[in-house]
């Protein structure tokens, strides 16, 4: 079982829709949590860090549930430009830290 | 400030050849990582380093070696390339910062632009 698992996708949604991504992690030593966006053939770029209290950045909301070991990302009012792959990442304490990524979920937003 | 730079950007190798991928960061980050990305697999951690002179195995270390002789550089070596090592390789770096309870936490990873490696 992978340490970090995501919804397999792809998600196909119309413009304006709300879409939610979920990610579970198995290692209880996980300390930091992130959502990245990756465009085709590009490097991943940080979308937002995920804090225990939950956090929001415009149309994007991230939540962390430590008890159930999952994180989520909600995108409201989807835009065509939101089409990308969304990766969750978890930084695990392991003699220092290592950062593990999920397999990613592809999002297609259509007009 | 160039961030994280990977060299080369593209490479084609024949089976059995060796090569070294170079990752350089100018942000004075303690942590550096090598990942590979294959279709549908996300990023898989090959090896990582928590500081100069240290390395550790990640999720898929077999067939790769690494070295971190200088803080700013993290080298990934393929001693005898195989077609299964055809992939896109990403290097990343990060650092530690204190949270609101003064616990040291790992920051987000800063990525290089990737190296597309094909082994024929």
């Amino acid at each position: 079982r992978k340490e970090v698992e995501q919804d397999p996708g792809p998600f196909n949604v119309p413009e304006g829709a709300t879409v939610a991504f979920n990610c579970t992690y198995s290692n209880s030593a996980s300390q930091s949590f992130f959502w990245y966006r990756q465009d085709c053939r590009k490097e991943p770029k940080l979308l937002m860090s995920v804090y225990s209290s939950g956090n929001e950045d415009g149309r994007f909301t991230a939540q962390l549930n430590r008890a159930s070991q999952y994180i989520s990302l909600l995108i409201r009012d989807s835009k065509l430009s939101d089409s990308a792959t969304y990766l969750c990442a978890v930084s695990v304490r392991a003699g220092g830290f290592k950062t593990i990524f999920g397999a990613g979920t592809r999002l297609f937003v259509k007009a | 400030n160039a961030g994280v730079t990977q060299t080369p950007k593209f490479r084609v190798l024949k089976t059995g050849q060796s090569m070294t991928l170079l990752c350089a960061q100018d942000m004075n980050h303690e942590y550096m990582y090598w990942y590979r990305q294959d279709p549908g697999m996300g990023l898989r951690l090959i090896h990582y380093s928590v500081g100069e002179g240290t390395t550790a195995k990640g999720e898929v270390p077999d067939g790769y070696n690494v070295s971190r002789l200088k803080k700013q550089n993290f080298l990934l070596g393929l001693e005898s390339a195989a077609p299964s090592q055809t992939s896109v390789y990403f290097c990343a770096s990060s650092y530690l910062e204190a949270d609101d309870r003064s616990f040291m936490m790992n920051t987000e990873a800063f990525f290089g632009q990737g190296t597309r490696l094909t082994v024929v």
Side-chain angles (χ1 to χ4, degrees):
Chain A
R1 183 188 170 200
K2 276 184 67 71
E3 284 195 61
V4 179
E5 299 204 53
Q6 292 187 240
D7 296 329
F11 288 5
N12 291 281
V13 302
E15 268 188 298
T18 296
V19 60
F21 300 105
N22 293 308
C23 175
T24 59
Y25 59 94
S26 60
N27 196 323
S28 58
S30 300
Q31 301 268 339
S32 310
F33 308 89
F34 310 94
W35 283 103
Y36 286 78
R37 171 193 169 123
Q38 185 177 27
D39 293 297
C40 192
R41 302 176 79 85
K42 298 283 192 180
E43 72 274 22
K45 296 201 172 160
L46 181 71
L47 180 64
M48 47 199 312
S49 301
V50 188
Y51 303 114
S52 296
S53 54
N55 45 303
E56 188 173 310
D57 182 4
R59 297 182 293 110
F60 300 85
T61 300
Q63 300 238 311
L64 166 64
N65 185 319
R66 285 188 184 270
S68 301
Q69 296 189 183
Y70 80 80
I71 62 174
S72 63
L73 175 69
L74 189 75
I75 304 176
R76 290 180 298 279
D77 189 23
S78 300
K79 311 290 185 193
L80 294 176
S81 57
D82 293 332
S83 296
T85 296
Y86 291 83
L87 298 152
C88 68
V90 173
S91 190
V92 181
R93 184 178 287 280
F97 288 93
K98 61 178 180 178
T99 299
I100 304 294
F101 283 77
T105 304
R106 188 80 171 88
L107 172 65
F108 295 94
V109 181
K110 299 184 188 278
Chain B
N1 191 336
V4 179
T5 304
Q6 291 183 231
T7 310
K9 299 286 189 291
F10 304 91
R11 185 73 186 268
V12 178
L13 282 181
K14 292 183 179 177
T15 297
Q17 284 185 318
S18 63
M19 80 163 293
T20 300
L21 280 66
L22 171 64
C23 178
Q25 53 97 1
D26 61 2
M27 298 174 284
N28 202 35
H29 287 175
E30 287 295 329
Y31 287 70
M32 296 187 76
Y33 314 85
W34 275 108
Y35 296 92
R36 60 177 289 172
Q37 186 171 37
D38 304 293
M41 302 291 287
L43 291 159
R44 291 185 291 169
L45 182 64
I46 304 171
H47 287 279
Y48 63 105
S49 168
V50 302
E52 181 179 318
T54 72
T55 63
K57 293 181 180 180
E59 301 169 280
V60 289
D62 293 342
Y64 305 94
N65 57 76
V66 287
S67 65
R68 183 109 182 261
L69 298 179
K70 292 183 179 180
K71 187 177 184 179
Q72 63 267 35
N73 296 335
F74 195 29
L75 278 61
L76 178 71
L78 287 73
E79 288 189 352
S80 179
S84 60
Q85 293 178 304
T86 293
S87 188
V88 179
Y89 291 85
F90 286 104
C91 175
S93 69
S94 68
Y95 62 99
L96 299 183
E97 65 180 3
D99 68 4
D100 54 6
R101 296 169 298 166
S102 299
F103 291 132
M104 298 308 290
M105 307 290 277
N106 198 10
T107 65
E108 75 271 22
F110 295 78
F111 281 87
Q113 291 183 306
T115 296
R116 294 187 178 278
L117 176 66
T118 302
V119 184
V120 296

